[in-house]
Amino acid sequence: MAGFFERIFAGRWIAGQNIEDALKEAKRLNGLGITAIINYLGEGYHKRDAVEDAVQTYLTLILEIRKRRLRADVSTKITELGDLLDKKLVLENYAKIVNFAAKNKVFVWLDMEEHRFVDDTIKLYMLKVGKGNTGICIQSYLRRSLKDLKRLPANATIRLVKGAYSESRRVAFQSREETTENYVLLMKLMFKRFRRFTIATHDSKMLQKAIELNRAYRRDVTYAMLKGVRNGYLVALAEKGEKTAVYVPFGRVWIPYSYRRLKERSNLKLILRSLFGG
Ligand SMILES: Cc1cc2nc3c(=O)[nH]c(=O)nc-3n(C[C@H](O)[C@H](O)[C@H](O)COP(=O)(O)OP(=O)(O)OC[C@H]3O[C@@H](n4cnc5c(N)ncnc54)[C@H](O)[C@@H]3O)c2cc1C
């Protein structure tokens, strides 16, 4: 049964279970002029084995990206690297990955998780921001994000998203309208303050707005989407000469990620349509 659901739901959004699947997808995307942002699925780890496996997998991935001359970043999470276990461990693991990636000219992103991890994620990011090969995700549904963005140094690299977790009214905007309004506000600030960043959304209005802003500001902007969501739109942007990227998750821990995708209205509609032949 799990295999059935995995094929139906996860097959669309996940490259496969192994490193090789992710690298193959990165090569395919590169052929379309698109960079891959590869994520090894896994989060909320309480066991050292799982954390160690994640670190080793990222190191192997980085080496293979370099060897095969792929245009691919990696993207990890603090709870995948041990934040729930030991604050010293997560720091060591992040440093190990970032340093190795810098030697191999690979870029390392930190995904943003639930609200309770934002402080730790920013703190960790700040330790290596000077390396030049690191980026951090900021979510527009969080009320605090404007302050966070203002506090990040001008050499930070930000990936702006709307946010994928269920958060309370106290910390997050609840309506799509407010989240989108804040997305525009944050995006405008990013164009003013930062040189290089990623606009990560499937929302054509946001993408168009960013393209317009960039006519005036001329920043180093990448437009990014998730694997399996609206990638045709991204191919068209790549063909017009824009920098583009697709987030490519792989691995066995596919349920939390697929659940977040399933909660997104547009995805649910598409899945139901493909299941019932519409
Ligand atoms: C590269 C990347 C990295 C991400 N990293 C993180 C992260 O680290 N942390 C985090 O919390 N979240 C992350 N996310 C997920 C993000 O927070 C949102 O959950 C997700 O992108 C959906 O929001 P949206 O911006 O596409 O807008 P939505 O408001 O969901 O959609 C806006 C519009 O986009 C169009 N659209 C959306 N989906 C589809 C579809 N399937 N088919 C056709 N049209 C569609 C529709 O017109 C829709 O009305 C990431 C997203 C991307 C693209």
Side-chain angles (χ1 to χ4, degrees), residues 37 159-160 183 198-202 207 222-226 231 234 237 243-247:
I37 302 174
R159 178 173 87 212
L160 184 63
Y183 196 99
T198 291
I199 297 296
T201 179
H202 313 99
L207 293 164
T222 299
Y223 303 94
M225 293 188 182
L226 301 172
N231 290 172
L234 211 58
L237 281 183
K243 278 173 98 171
T244 52
V246 166
Y247 186 92

Side-chain angles (χ1 to χ4, degrees), residues 2-171:
F4 171 76
F5 282 115
E6 190 173 353
R7 266 200 314 279
I8 297 286
F9 297 120
R12 175 181 200 100
W13 299 308
I14 291 165
Q17 296 199 344
N18 311 312
I19 286 192
E20 213 45 56
D21 298 321
L23 294 167
K24 212 167 116 193
E25 177 64 0
K27 192 171 177 198
R28 186 188 74 81
L29 289 165
N30 286 181
L32 297 168
I34 299 172
T35 298
I37 302 174
I38 305 178
N39 165 253
Y40 181 46
L41 291 163
E43 57 195 84
Y45 285 151
H46 287 94
K47 292 203 172 121
R48 281 180 190 266
D49 291 3
V51 170
E52 182 56 26
D53 168 62
V55 174
Q56 286 310 319
T57 302
Y58 280 112
L59 297 179
T60 308
L61 198 52
I62 289 163
L63 202 59
E64 288 301 320
I65 289 171
R66 176 69 194 265
K67 268 198 211 157
R68 299 179 196 204
R69 297 167 187 267
L70 292 171
R71 273 198 291 120
D73 305 342
V74 297
S75 202
T76 182
K77 294 178 170 61
I78 64 165
T79 70
E80 187 178 28
L81 300 184
D83 191 67
L84 293 171
L85 272 166
D86 176 354
K87 304 289 175 204
K88 221 176 111 205
L89 178 73
V90 69
L91 201 158
E92 282 168 14
N93 288 338
Y94 179 60
K96 203 189 271 182
I97 292 172
V98 170
N99 293 341
F100 189 64
K103 267 193 212 143
N104 287 287
K105 301 196 170 17
V106 173
F107 194 90
V108 181
W109 290 99
L110 276 178
D111 287 358
M112 193 56 86
E113 303 175 66
E114 289 109 314
H115 179 259
R116 65 195 163 112
F117 298 116
V118 176
D119 282 333
D120 279 5
T121 307
I122 294 178
K123 224 187 273 169
L124 200 65
Y125 177 65
M126 289 304 291
L127 295 173
K128 288 284 170 189
V129 68
K131 273 286 210 199
N133 71 323
T134 58
I136 188 171
C137 177
I138 293 287
Q139 301 154 323
S140 76
Y141 67 5
L142 289 187
R143 297 180 194 274
R144 60 174 286 172
S145 289
L146 181 62
K147 259 194 198 155
D148 289 336
L149 211 52
K150 284 181 176 167
R151 268 195 229 126
L152 282 165
N155 63 346
T157 303
I158 289 142
R159 178 173 87 212
L160 184 63
V161 304
K162 288 190 184 171
Y165 298 83
S166 298
E167 299 284 4
S168 71
R169 182 172 299 280
R170 186 178 59 81
V171 299

